[in-house]
Amino acid sequence: MFTNDQRQQERTGQYGTSRQQYLQELVNQFQNTSDEDPIHISLTEWFLVATETKEKIAANLANFAYDPYNYSFLRQLNVLELFLDCITEPNEKLMEFGIGGICNSCVDPANAAIITQCGGIPLVIKCLSSPVRNTVNYALGALYYLCNKSNREEILKPEVIDVIERYAAAQTVNASFSNLAKAFLDKHVS
């Protein structure tokens, strides 16, 4: 459900944490997770805990990215750049949540511009070849909203169109891929 200032005030109350402050705490926690001291546990355990914590925070931030109420906060706190960083990680879950956050937020033209300016288009295109279905779905959705007059040449390369056309033809294999790919082709290629 989308929120607004009144609904947010009702939910947090007079002494509650503001949405911006809460998102800032999540960003800080994400960035500082690997800095925690692993003295009391093995290095392997510490790595697993740190990785799982980052995945949970990235998923949480991606969930906040769907609501227009949060868009300005995401920009102020550089969360869009954090999502792009997640896409570059070798961790498939971080990639999934990063591209999910990009997909959720790039509906907004200001967010799409930041994603594009930060070199996000090649990262999103790379997600089309992920073995994780959600990652591919999010990448197709993000490209649908990111593609515009100023970046069409970067997105509509023959090799990208070829991949998207193959997804469009895969109706019996994955209807979601096919539907998203067909919508992309209808809007940007046909």
Side-chain angles (χ1 to χ4, degrees):
M1 174 183 237
F2 295 135
T3 195
N4 56 40
D5 288 331
Q6 179 183 348
R7 179 164 160 68
Q8 190 60 30
Q9 181 61 36
E10 290 169 359
R11 291 184 65 181
T12 59
Q14 185 176 1
Y15 303 107
T17 303
S18 72
R19 179 64 56 87
Q20 183 175 10
Q21 182 182 352
Y22 180 73
L23 291 172
Q24 178 67 67
E25 289 170 7
L26 285 174
V27 169
N28 291 343
Q29 190 177 9
F30 183 90
Q31 292 171 335
N32 296 327
T33 294
S34 61
D35 297 338
E36 293 174 4
D37 189 4
I39 292 175
H40 61 282
I41 59 176
S42 75
L43 195 54
T44 303
E45 289 174 313
W46 169 81
F47 178 77
L48 291 173
V49 169
T51 300
E52 186 177 311
T53 300
K54 280 191 163 192
E55 290 168 358
K56 288 178 181 178
I57 295 168
N60 202 348
L61 288 168
N63 285 334
F64 280 104
Y66 84 93
D67 190 341
Y69 181 80
N70 299 318
Y71 289 167
S72 64
F73 304 138
L74 298 175
R75 289 190 295 271
Q76 291 168 16
L77 300 171
N78 298 318
V79 174
L80 302 172
E81 291 86 343
L82 184 146
F83 289 147
L84 291 172
D85 287 342
C86 287
I87 294 174
T88 66
E89 293 290 325
N91 178 319
E92 289 290 344
K93 284 188 178 184
L94 280 178
M95 285 180 67
E96 176 185 351
F97 300 138
I99 190 63
I102 294 296
C103 182
N104 287 346
S105 62
C106 73
V107 173
D108 179 67
N111 291 344
I114 290 171
I115 292 162
T116 301
Q117 291 164 3
C118 291
I121 290 174
L123 298 174
V124 173
I125 290 170
K126 180 182 159 210
C127 290
L128 290 174
S129 62
S130 172
V132 179
R133 287 181 177 210
N134 283 343
T135 300
V136 175
N137 275 329
Y138 295 144
L140 287 166
L143 288 173
Y144 180 90
Y145 288 106
L146 289 171
C147 190
N148 60 42
K149 291 177 192 173
S150 67
N151 61 29
R152 287 178 67 81
E153 288 183 21
E154 186 176 7
I155 294 174
L156 299 180
K157 293 178 181 176
E159 61 272 18
V160 176
I161 297 303
D162 181 57
V163 169
I164 294 174
E165 285 175 340
R166 281 189 273 135
Y167 284 132
Q171 179 70 37
T172 57
V173 176
N174 190 312
S176 179
F177 287 0
S178 180
N179 292 338
L180 283 166
K182 286 176 184 176
F184 177 88
L185 294 170
D186 288 346
K187 181 175 181 181
H188 299 294
V189 178
S190 299

